[in-house]
Amino acid sequence: MRPVPLASLVTALFAGALPAMAQTLPIEMILPPARPAATQGFSPSPPHLPTASFHRATPETQPSRPVIPRPANAEQVVAVTAPLPPSRPVMAETHEAPEPQPIAIAPKPIVTAAMGPVALRQPLPNDVVVERANAYFTNLSTLVADFTQVGGDGRRQGGTLYLQRPGKVRFEYDPPATLQVIADGRSVAVRDRKLATQDLYSISQTPLKFLLRERVNLGQDIRITGIINDGDSVRINLEDSSTLGGTSRIALYFDSQVESLNQWRIVDAQGFQTVVVLGRIERGRRIDQDLFKIQYEALVGGNK
């Protein structure tokens, strides 16, 4: 019987832009200027004017308008003027046009985006972290994911993880690796297809066994030694003193809101470290139950 490194077993057990203001023209530039009405008492215009004579308006206010020559009997003739728009009242002629009043234009308010400080996401309190981690595992029914396992010697192996809670898990390693790790709810089998061997272990002897329970309760089922929360990710450090060979130290890595397990690290009693990183995670997928069957009758050697 070929002994299986505890690190391999431990690892295998759970992979996871301000518009310009509109210009408003003075109304004198839009409407014709007022035509003064003919009145008594003003000196008549010179009798022999040229074809057209212009009444000089105040230079600052409006352009000149032609004045129609008046005949000698001007007292009996009504001055003819162009019709004035209703909005312009008729003003008595004076020698000097009144000073136009300025038109007040209310400026449009400048609308800009609020420039308050951007609130940074605050790390979750530790009690919330534990509560969410327990809820994550307890509410997890099935999970299928790719995994990459990095051993203490730096060697990498990949494969597919199948998990069905409670109790069932399978690590299928990609070739050229020949290992399979299967838990059926009662035992854990480590198979080597090349060597045609199978070793059995009790789930209670393996790390992360608490994750396969129907209800997970971190802090009671397993000791929490620390929580590290930097706002971008959360790490929960655990310690299990009941694993085969002695105490194992476990670190679970979650996203910042503790909604997904991304990886874990296990250091076994002998100091060997194994890291498992999960990718392409699918939750709630139906899994073929044959993947969790252990062939007890094909047992070649192992522990039970």
Side-chain angles (χ1 to χ4, degrees):
M1 176 187 70
R2 184 183 59 85
V4 178
L6 183 58
S8 299
L9 174 62
V10 162
T11 297
L13 237 216
F14 205 89
L18 167 67
M21 182 186 302
Q23 298 295 325
T24 303
L25 300 176
I27 196 168
E28 287 81 3
M29 298 183 67
I30 301 174
L31 302 178
R35 174 62 180 168
T39 60
Q40 297 293 337
F42 288 91
S43 298
S45 301
H48 301 291
L49 291 175
T51 304
S53 175
F54 297 90
H55 177 75
R56 185 175 184 83
T58 302
E60 297 81 9
T61 60
Q62 55 188 13
S64 301
R65 281 189 55 83
V67 178
I68 300 175
R70 299 177 61 190
N73 58 345
E75 293 81 2
Q76 300 175 6
V77 179
V78 178
V80 179
T81 62
L84 296 174
S87 60
R88 293 286 296 170
V90 178
M91 300 176 61
E93 182 178 3
T94 60
H95 293 289
E96 185 175 346
E99 184 72 19
Q101 297 299 320
I103 300 175
I105 303 175
K108 294 182 179 180
I110 300 175
V111 180
T112 59
M115 297 301 292
V118 179
L120 299 177
R121 175 177 290 180
Q122 297 298 323
L124 297 174
N126 288 349
D127 57 340
V128 175
V129 169
V130 175
E131 179 182 355
R132 291 191 179 186
N134 287 333
Y136 170 80
F137 290 115
T138 298
N139 296 329
L140 181 63
S141 57
T142 64
L143 182 147
V144 178
D146 294 341
F147 71 87
T148 300
Q149 174 182 312
V150 182
D153 58 358
R155 185 177 62 172
R156 293 173 176 263
Q157 293 178 300
T160 305
L161 164 68
Y162 303 90
L163 172 66
Q164 178 173 310
R165 299 188 68 259
K168 299 178 181 180
V169 66
R170 181 186 182 107
F171 291 85
E172 189 75 33
Y173 288 81
D174 294 334
T178 59
L179 286 177
Q180 294 176 333
V181 178
I182 304 171
D184 62 358
R186 184 180 59 171
S187 302
V188 177
V190 180
R191 297 177 184 171
D192 190 324
R193 297 187 301 271
K194 182 178 181 179
L195 300 177
T197 60
Q198 175 174 274
D199 297 306
L200 290 179
Y201 301 88
S202 170
I203 289 183
S204 62
Q205 294 178 300
T206 61
L208 302 178
K209 57 183 176 293
F210 57 93
L211 299 181
L212 297 177
R213 294 176 180 173
E214 186 172 358
R215 294 192 62 83
V216 175
N217 196 330
L218 303 180
Q220 293 186 12
D221 298 337
I222 188 172
R223 181 181 172 221
I224 298 177
T225 60
I227 297 177
I228 299 175
N229 189 342
D230 61 9
D232 294 326
S233 62
V234 175
R235 186 179 78 196
I236 304 177
N237 295 326
L238 307 169
E239 187 175 88
D240 186 1
S241 58
S242 63
T243 56
L244 182 66
T247 300
S248 296
R249 298 190 303 275
I250 306 164
L252 304 178
Y253 294 79
F254 292 85
D255 65 294
S256 62
Q257 298 302 299
V258 195
E259 295 175 345
S260 178
L261 178 68
N262 301 318
Q263 62 176 289
W264 65 83
R265 181 190 66 204
I266 298 176
V267 179
D268 65 15
Q270 286 73 42
F272 293 101
Q273 174 177 281
T274 302
V275 177
V276 174
V277 181
L278 301 181
R280 297 175 57 184
I281 300 173
E282 297 180 65
R283 299 175 57 177
R285 173 175 160 181
R286 187 174 181 178
I287 302 176
D288 183 355
Q289 296 303 296
D290 287 341
L291 294 175
F292 306 118
K293 288 184 177 180
I294 296 177
Q295 300 175 1
Y296 289 99
E297 65 279 4
L299 180 64
V300 174
N303 304 306
K304 198 168 181 178

